[in-house]
Amino acid sequence: SKADQRLAIAALAHAGETDSNSPLLHVLLGDIYRQKQRWGDAENEYRKALALDPHNQSASLGLAMALFSDGKSDEALAIDKELLTETPDQSEGNLLAGEILVHNHHFSDAEAYLTKIRDTGQKFMPRVHALLGEVYFATDRFPQALQEFKIGQLSDDDGSIHYQLGRTYQKIGDKEKADEAFRVSKQLRSQSDD
């Protein structure tokens, strides 16, 4: 599998050398590098795509994602907001803005982006609900946070959402459910570590 990935990257890189004027090729390379968590390489490819096609939405979104993953939240948010001025209803762009703002503890700003896409039925909806849970928890709206975390727990593969669910149960005074959520959180975290 790893050899296949290396061959795919080598083939795309070679194609890029022979047809370096293809924004799509640079976006594809950027996506591969981003999946492999090679943020700098991904950023370079997305920037090449944008140099060829400044309005390429896939390149803008990919660049913003790579920058955010590399800890460059301010630049990522600026690019994402610019993208959202062109396509304000883009689900992935709104999710990314919400994610960045929650990460930086700007909960009320994040809420606007997340509620906009809350019921769009996208595959990443559990993540949207988990982020909304964080927003509601941070702003002392514990019943709403509980509801969102319950929906978001479907995407909990490392125990973090169950942990937040446990904290929320503590806040509303349900010790038994809090203990159960913490137990599940610990179990999921252990499985994730393995």
Side-chain angles (χ1 to χ4, degrees):
S1 174
K2 287 188 178 191
D4 286 345
Q5 289 176 358
R6 283 193 291 270
L7 286 172
I9 291 173
L12 283 172
H14 179 66
E17 291 168 3
T18 57
D19 183 14
S20 60
N21 291 328
S22 170
L24 176 60
L25 187 63
H26 290 294
V27 170
L28 289 173
L29 274 169
D31 290 347
I32 289 172
Y33 286 136
R34 190 167 45 85
Q35 289 171 0
K36 295 180 74 56
Q37 299 181 359
R38 292 173 54 182
W39 314 125
D41 291 333
E43 180 183 339
N44 288 337
E45 292 301 327
Y46 293 128
R47 289 191 190 280
K48 288 177 187 176
L50 288 168
L52 296 168
D53 179 5
H55 299 289
N56 187 311
Q57 293 182 355
S58 296
S60 293
L61 182 63
L63 177 59
M65 290 173 151
L67 290 168
F68 176 57
S69 296
D70 199 23
K72 301 173 184 173
S73 296
D74 293 338
E75 187 178 0
L77 186 60
I79 291 169
D80 192 43
K81 281 185 174 181
E82 186 176 320
L83 175 64
L84 287 171
T85 59
E86 297 172 19
T87 53
D89 294 328
Q90 186 191 49
S91 297
E92 293 86 355
N94 279 288
L95 173 60
L96 181 60
E99 184 99 39
I100 293 168
L101 291 164
V102 166
H103 178 76
N104 291 326
H105 305 287
H106 299 293
F107 299 107
S108 59
D109 293 337
E111 186 174 358
Y113 291 101
L114 296 170
T115 54
K116 186 175 213 173
I117 58 170
R118 181 173 188 249
D119 297 316
T120 57
Q122 301 288 332
K123 64 181 179 185
F124 49 74
M125 278 307 104
R127 182 65 188 145
V128 172
H129 289 291
L131 288 167
L132 278 169
E134 288 186 54
V135 167
Y136 295 147
F137 186 89
T139 55
D140 298 330
R141 294 179 278 171
F142 304 117
Q144 292 97 324
L146 185 63
Q147 180 182 3
E148 297 296 335
F149 285 137
K150 282 181 179 180
I151 299 169
Q153 72 184 336
L154 298 172
S155 66
D156 193 4
D157 54 0
D158 65 358
S160 60
I161 298 171
H162 278 85
Y163 178 79
Q164 293 185 2
L165 193 56
R167 290 179 57 215
T168 307
Y169 277 125
Q170 281 181 328
K171 287 287 189 181
I172 62 173
D174 193 334
K175 182 181 179 345
E176 187 176 315
K177 287 185 179 176
D179 290 343
E180 175 62 15
F182 288 135
R183 185 192 64 73
V184 173
S185 172
K186 186 175 181 179
Q187 180 183 359
L188 288 170
R189 188 174 59 245
S190 177
Q191 289 172 358
S192 174
D193 291 345
D194 289 342

